[in-house]
Amino acid sequence: MSIEEIFPKLVGSDYRRTSEPDEKYNCIAWAAGRDDEWWDVGPGYRWPDDIPRHWAVENLLKLYESLGFVRCASEAREDGFEKVAVYGDGYMWTHAARQLDNGKWTSKLGALEDIEHESLEALSGAEYGSVVQVLKRPTTCHSE
Amino acid sequence: MSTEIMTRDRATTRWVHPLDGATALSEALVPGDDRARRSPTPSASLESRFMACAEAWKRDTRHMSSITKITSHPAYQEIIEMGEVVIPLILRELAKKPDHWFLALREISGHDPVPKRSQGRLRDMTESWLAWGRKQGYTS
């Protein structure tokens, strides 16, 4: 099944593949700038000790806050800030995307490839739900 | 492609999420159990069923990032239901390529050999489980 079949809103949208499939990392780590670990609440996966290992959206927001992000209202690019968008399906987080310098977004699709996509809406739908929160941090802040 | 999140607890018949019992399971783990055992041998029909489930699970979840969603897939839960006899088959799959078999192995065996320093590093997690399998006599 192609990614356009999984995410039908990609069809006709401005997006491009930017990596080969790679099982080493997921979107949660990738949104924080890591491409060597799978960050998840599941036992045995990388997750901060002081944040509950539970799939609620709130816990993923706490993870990004622990990395210096703060919640914000707009997905529009702001000079001096990098942004992360968290997708959720009701109470559960499903995906995260990171904004690039050009204002577009980069997403790691599970164990599949990375893509660069123009809009956050392009990945919304049955699989990832929709964006539930955007966060930002100064581009000089990269502590993990 | 949407998957059910809740599963039925075999012991209590309650509907539970597979990760909600993680803490209790962690407390029940017995580290360092190095008793060698003879590997159970799955029948050809069970192996065929296992492979069908494994293929369906991989096909349907490759785009997912949430381990909660990945391991809630009905085929993955069916594999867990197959029990200890499929541990060698899971380890065989894991030896071919790192993948998210860790929760199934943990659920079935009650063990978790992954050290904290390896958490989230799939190749290291895989090596920990493969070493555990050899030590337990599931693989040579």
Side-chain angles (χ1 to χ4, degrees):
Chain A
M1 183 173 261
S2 72
I3 62 171
E4 290 192 351
E5 290 173 294
I6 299 169
F7 304 104
K9 290 181 181 175
L10 284 174
V11 178
S13 74
D14 180 6
Y15 84 96
R16 66 186 181 98
R17 290 177 175 81
T18 51
S19 81
E20 294 297 313
D22 191 332
E23 77 283 350
K24 286 199 302 293
Y25 62 103
N26 67 344
C27 64
I28 306 303
W30 180 240
R34 296 289 297 262
D35 64 357
D36 58 346
E37 293 182 334
W38 195 287
W39 290 7
D40 195 88
V41 299
Y45 291 85
R46 175 76 180 275
W47 195 256
D49 288 337
D50 56 350
I51 299 174
R53 280 185 178 266
H54 188 274
W55 37 261
V57 168
E58 185 63 23
N59 292 324
L60 182 56
L61 299 181
K62 287 178 180 172
L63 178 142
Y64 287 123
E65 286 174 337
S66 75
L67 301 176
F69 287 91
V70 296
R71 302 177 200 203
C72 64
S74 171
E75 66 187 63
R77 187 179 175 282
E78 293 180 52
D79 284 340
F81 289 93
E82 60 178 329
K83 292 190 175 183
V84 165
V86 171
Y87 291 70
D89 184 3
Y91 188 49
M92 174 186 286
W93 61 259
T94 55
H95 180 65
R98 170 166 45 92
Q99 194 173 42
L100 299 167
D101 289 342
N102 61 9
K104 295 182 180 181
W105 298 84
T106 179
S107 282
K108 175 72 161 59
L109 306 176
L112 299 175
E113 57 265 53
D114 305 343
I115 64 167
E116 182 179 306
H117 48 109
E118 174 92 28
S119 75
L120 293 172
E121 178 66 15
L123 290 181
S124 67
E127 295 301 322
Y128 287 171
S130 57
V131 174
V132 294
Q133 184 66 56
V134 178
L135 305 97
K136 67 179 182 180
R137 71 177 175 185
T139 50
T140 54
C141 176
H142 291 292
S143 62
E144 289 178 5
Chain B
M1 229 178 317
S2 296
T3 56
E4 291 294 327
I5 297 304
M6 307 298 275
T7 59
R8 189 176 291 279
D9 183 297
R10 281 164 286 172
T12 65
T13 71
R14 287 183 300 114
W15 286 94
V16 296
H17 185 273
L19 296 185
D20 282 347
T23 302
L25 179 59
S26 176
E27 291 168 353
L29 295 178
V30 182
D33 182 354
D34 58 355
R35 291 171 296 174
R37 72 184 72 187
R38 182 175 294 278
S39 172
T41 305
S43 65
S45 62
L46 184 67
E47 181 169 351
S48 174
R49 197 173 131 222
F50 170 85
M51 290 308 299
C53 285
E55 286 177 21
W57 170 64
K58 290 177 186 177
R59 181 194 62 225
D60 292 348
T61 63
R62 296 298 287 169
H63 63 288
M64 295 179 183
S65 282
S66 163
I67 295 300
T68 307
K69 293 198 78 169
I70 291 170
T71 60
S72 295
H73 190 282
Y76 193 89
Q77 291 299 310
E78 187 174 339
I79 287 171
I80 291 174
E81 291 284 334
M82 293 177 193
E84 184 185 5
V85 71
V86 297
I87 287 179
L89 300 180
I90 295 175
L91 293 171
R92 187 181 71 189
E93 288 298 299
L94 206 46
K96 289 181 197 168
K97 187 179 181 189
D99 211 337
H100 301 288
W101 290 110
F102 316 118
L103 186 73
L105 287 167
R106 181 185 162 106
E107 288 277 319
I108 295 171
S109 72
H111 287 256
D112 188 351
V114 178
K116 188 171 178 59
R117 67 177 179 280
S118 298
Q119 290 188 347
R121 296 179 175 272
L122 262 62
R123 292 190 186 282
D124 293 346
M125 295 166 77
T126 296
E127 283 307 313
S128 295
W129 275 107
L130 293 178
W132 172 86
R134 288 191 294 271
K135 194 174 182 182
Q136 296 291 320
Y138 288 114
T139 57
S140 54

